[in-house]
Amino acid sequence: MPRFPDHLTGDGPTNPFPGIRVLERRLGREIPHRLGSNEGLDMPHRALRAHFGDAMVEHAYCYGDSEALGIRQRLADQQGIPLEALLVDAGADSLIALALRTVAEPGTAVVATGGTYPTFGYFARGQGCRLVEVPYEEAPGRLAPDLEALSAAARRERARLVYLANPDNPGGHLHDDAAIRQLRETLPDDCWLLLDEAYHDFRDDAESSFAREVLPGVFRLRTLSKAHGMAGLRIGYAIAEPATLAMMMKVRIHYAVSTLTQAAAEVVLDHPDETHEHIAAVLERRQRLAEHFRGLGAEVLPSATNFIGIRLPSVELAERVHRELLEDGRLIARPAHPNLGHVLRITAVEDALVPGRLAILERALEEG
Ligand SMILES: Cc1ncc(COP(=O)(O)O)c(C=O)c1O
């Protein structure tokens, strides 16, 4: 397994406030009187009750379960992932930051594809890491993170960590399981793989045996922001070896996932049929959107996500379409990275399929 920084390998740091839920589990009994956590337990919350109702307010008073056991149990039961290989945090973004904080000390090199999900680079730079970027592999109908280039850069730069979004954002490309295994094998032993699987639930094979594997030397990240529609509540999870998660727990902001978010996520996870229905609807819309734009001659990239990527013939055209749509109150995504200025990304929501909604793009394609 790749190594951890020296300051984490000894005893501590120890979370000073694991919270009452963790204490109850350690003691094996409930603690009915909460007199020690300085929470505002006697706040009347008239305004909050009037706005959101009593049920919501009950989740406002107390610090949450820092181990998010209820969520982890549901994920473990539903997906067959070992409970001790799951860690819950405030979205995949938080987990990216946490993974960096756990293994990539300031000054160390980290590697990513130039133009992929930019939050990784943002956090890596903020952590004081040296961000090394490799270009995408581009060919007609293909915009894929170049796994060989990532691996070569990791070796050359003696990188501490390689980031890969799979499926990728903004292209939507999915590398298969064998390619991911091979990437891990070709990385240096002391280099971590941060595998961002934010769009995992949209994969056709989302429930495969590989999907529940705990991969040594790998942080797998997933989120409830996309397929579960909970982006505003901030919750996601990591799948990794228990020893790796124990290190993450040493530097994690322990109440980052609110009590309300945990309660809401439990309800959503308890109703998987609704999530499956949503995923099926997204996939159907993605297909309609892709067919529509292919029919207009656009190069729509194959996507295993909840969006489509369209590669335009030039950066100038993509910039103009993006700007004119925005001026008209229609926000689609155009990556800020210079490598991908010619790519537009459209989320497969019903609004994108409303006739005329993306007429500016349609006209540009017809003209050009
Ligand atoms: C690849 C990727 N990772 C992470 C995220 C962020 O997910 P979360 O809302 O769980 O922080 C996104 C959101 O767009 C994403 O595209």
Side-chain angles (χ1 to χ4, degrees):
M1 196 204 291
R3 65 184 187 82
F4 298 99
D6 291 344
H7 67 276
L8 295 180
T9 46
D11 286 343
T14 306
N15 173 3
F17 296 118
I20 203 161
R21 295 278 166 257
V22 174
L23 186 57
E24 282 177 333
R25 284 197 288 276
R26 279 187 201 151
L27 295 173
R29 61 189 150 79
E30 238 184 273
I31 304 170
H33 304 289
R34 306 179 63 120
L35 311 176
S37 313
N38 304 339
E39 295 150 322
L41 297 181
D42 40 14
M43 168 72 178
H45 271 322
R46 285 184 295 275
L48 212 50
R49 282 177 202 282
H51 269 82
F52 296 107
D54 291 345
M56 183 275 194
V57 171
E58 292 319 308
H59 299 298
Y61 286 110
C62 298
Y63 292 114
D65 180 355
S66 64
E67 294 176 347
L69 185 64
I71 310 291
R72 288 164 53 231
Q73 268 168 342
R74 284 166 175 79
L75 295 170
D77 292 348
Q78 291 174 6
Q79 299 187 37
I81 301 167
L83 183 69
E84 62 280 6
L86 286 161
L87 182 149
V88 170
D89 206 57
D93 280 354
S94 272
L95 287 156
I96 291 172
L98 185 56
L100 283 165
R101 199 169 169 202
T102 306
V103 300
E105 294 151 280
T108 53
V110 297
V111 179
T113 307
T116 191
Y117 184 57
T119 303
F120 171 74
Y122 167 58
F123 286 166
R125 288 192 168 111
Q127 164 87 4
C129 296
R130 187 165 56 85
L131 178 65
V132 177
E133 293 187 324
V134 300
Y136 271 97
E137 195 193 322
E138 289 208 52
R142 188 172 171 88
L143 178 67
D146 185 335
L147 303 188
E148 278 180 26
L150 287 168
S151 178
R155 288 192 298 274
R156 189 180 66 241
E157 306 286 342
R158 306 174 73 84
R160 186 60 54 81
L161 179 142
V162 166
Y163 172 84
L164 176 71
N166 195 54
D168 184 44
N169 176 5
H173 182 85
L174 175 71
H175 280 293
D176 66 19
D177 302 343
I180 300 300
R181 279 191 208 285
Q182 203 192 340
L183 172 64
R184 178 56 271 183
E185 276 166 24
T186 61
L187 290 179
D189 283 347
D190 61 355
C191 176
W192 292 88
L193 174 60
L194 180 53
L195 188 60
D196 181 343
E197 299 180 319
Y199 297 97
H200 174 86
D201 297 300
F202 299 105
R203 288 178 64 156
D204 294 338
D205 58 352
E207 291 172 14
S208 71
S209 62
F210 182 75
R212 52 180 169 269
E213 264 187 56
V214 182
L215 305 167
V218 182
F219 300 90
R220 305 182 86 167
L221 312 185
R222 300 201 186 143
T223 180
L224 274 68
S225 289
K226 317 283 176 188
H228 303 80
M230 295 186 67
L233 288 176
R234 312 304 304 134
I235 185 160
Y237 55 100
I239 307 165
E241 291 191 313
T244 305
L245 299 185
M247 288 295 180
M248 293 171 92
M249 286 303 267
K250 287 188 179 198
V251 291
R252 181 174 170 261
I253 296 170
H254 36 284
Y255 297 132
V257 187
S258 74
T259 311
L260 174 65
T261 294
Q262 293 193 40
E266 288 181 9
V267 172
V268 171
L269 290 173
D270 284 342
H271 295 84
D273 289 353
E274 193 178 344
T275 303
H276 287 136
E277 191 187 308
H278 171 232
I279 293 169
V282 168
L283 299 188
E284 187 271 334
R285 286 194 295 266
R286 188 184 75 202
Q287 173 142 356
R288 273 197 286 146
L289 203 55
E291 278 168 8
H292 173 71
F293 283 106
R294 280 197 188 110
L296 295 173
E299 188 188 4
V300 179
L301 299 160
S303 170
T305 66
N306 63 350
F307 57 79
I308 57 164
I310 298 184
R311 183 162 41 197
L312 292 188
S314 73
V315 171
E316 293 70 30
L317 184 63
E319 187 278 323
R320 176 167 67 80
V321 168
H322 181 256
R323 179 172 35 80
E324 288 181 5
L325 280 169
L326 186 56
E327 282 164 6
D328 211 19
R330 292 139 212 244
L331 179 63
I332 62 169
R334 176 172 167 262
H337 197 284
N339 285 7
L340 294 189
H342 56 325
V343 172
L344 297 176
R345 197 192 66 207
I346 304 167
T347 313
V349 286
E350 201 58 53
D351 197 28
L353 286 152
V354 170
R357 185 69 79 232
L358 296 170
I360 290 170
L361 171 59
E362 291 164 3
R363 271 199 303 278
L365 291 167
E366 275 159 6
E367 285 162 15

